[in-house]
Every structure is written in structure tokens, then in C-alpha cells.
């Protein structure tokens, strides 16, 4: 018997770009430690007038899995050198998280995800 499509939770996608490209693999591994979260490195899309773009992480998960993955970002950010930032893109909205604003921005990001 085929599974009913209504039983499959809808997966959300969030893109994460980091201010220090050498930290991309580390963040990928950190997020892969979360249950039911899929993380892929994908090519970034250059903006208008740009000739190239750095790779980004595409994070795929159910709503609850995504919230859990996002909630580990403050700890990750605080464990990095000062000035480290993560730019998130959720439903076309871009938010920048860093050690100085993560506690304020995280609730906004969670609301976007619950949308």
C-alpha cells in the first residue's frame, strides 16, 4: 500500500551563507548532528553585478526539525571568532545572525519558519 501524501510532513528549506568560507564545512557537520535534518553544500547565486558567489548550505527539514536546527545556531556562532556571521534566507527574506544580535534575530527567524 502506498503511503498517503498527507502523512509526509512538508519540508522547509533555509539557505545559510557564512562570513568565513573556511567555516562552511564545520557548520554543515554541526547541523548534520540534528535529527531529521538534511544539509547540502550548494553553489551560491551571484547578485546583480557580481561575477561569482560563495557556496551556501541548503538545510532541508520538517518544520519541527528546522526549528531545532536553527536553535543550535547561537551556540555555533558564539564558538567562533568575533565578527563571524551567518546570513539566512527563508522564503526570500534575508536575516544576518552574529554574536551581537542572535538572541534578537532568532525569534524573528522562527516566526518566518512557522509562517
Amino acid at each position: 500500500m502506498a503511503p498517503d501524501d498527507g502523512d509526509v510532513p512538508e519540508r522547509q528549506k533555509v539557505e545559510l551563507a557564512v562570513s568565513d568560507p573556511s567555516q562552511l564545512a564545520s557548520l554543515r557537520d554541526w547541523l548534520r548532528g540534528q535529527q531529521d535534518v538534511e544539509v547540502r553544500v550548494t553553489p551560491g547565486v551571484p547578485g546583480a553585478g557580481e561575477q561569482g558567489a560563495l557556496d551556501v548550505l541548503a538545510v532541508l527539514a520538517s518544520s519541527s526539525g528546522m526549528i531545532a536546527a536553527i536553535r543550535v545556531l547561537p551556540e555555533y556562532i558564539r564558538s567562533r571568532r568575533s565578527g563571524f556571521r551567518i546570513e539566512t534566507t527563508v522564503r526570500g527574506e534575508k536575516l544576518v545572525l552574529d554574536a551581537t544580535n542572535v538572541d534578537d534575530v532568532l525569534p524573528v527567524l522562527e516566526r518566518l519558519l512557522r509562517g
Side-chain angles (χ1 to χ4, degrees), residues 56-112:
V56 298
L57 295 180
V59 182
L60 302 164
S62 66
S63 180
S64 60
M66 187 64 73
I67 295 293
I70 293 301
R71 285 185 176 161
V72 303
L73 292 178
E75 182 181 349
Y76 182 85
I77 290 169
R78 290 182 183 118
S79 72
R80 304 294 152 213
R81 63 176 175 74
S82 65
F84 180 78
R85 296 179 326 279
I86 297 175
E87 181 178 289
T88 64
T89 304
V90 179
R91 298 182 182 154
E93 296 286 332
K94 291 188 182 211
L95 298 169
V96 176
L97 301 159
D98 63 32
T100 64
N101 73 1
V102 71
D103 292 328
D104 297 324
V105 176
L106 196 63
V108 174
L109 183 55
E110 287 183 22
R111 280 194 300 276
L112 279 172

Side-chain angles (χ1 to χ4, degrees), residues 15-77:
E15 287 187 350
L16 304 175
V18 295
S19 60
D20 180 353
S22 71
Q23 297 298 310
L24 194 68
S26 172
L27 179 57
R28 178 200 61 211
D29 294 345
W30 186 283
L31 291 169
R32 282 183 175 166
Q34 301 303 304
Q35 186 173 345
D36 299 325
V37 175
E38 181 181 346
V39 185
R40 296 181 188 158
V41 177
T42 62
V45 178
E50 296 177 342
Q51 293 187 8
L54 298 173
D55 289 344
V56 298
L57 295 180
V59 182
L60 302 164
S62 66
S63 180
S64 60
M66 187 64 73
I67 295 293
I70 293 301
R71 285 185 176 161
V72 303
L73 292 178
E75 182 181 349
Y76 182 85
I77 290 169

Side-chain angles (χ1 to χ4, degrees), residues 1-16:
M1 177 180 249
D4 180 3
D5 286 342
D7 293 342
V8 178
E10 182 179 331
R11 292 172 57 89
Q12 296 183 339
K13 179 181 177 183
V14 172
E15 287 187 350
L16 304 175

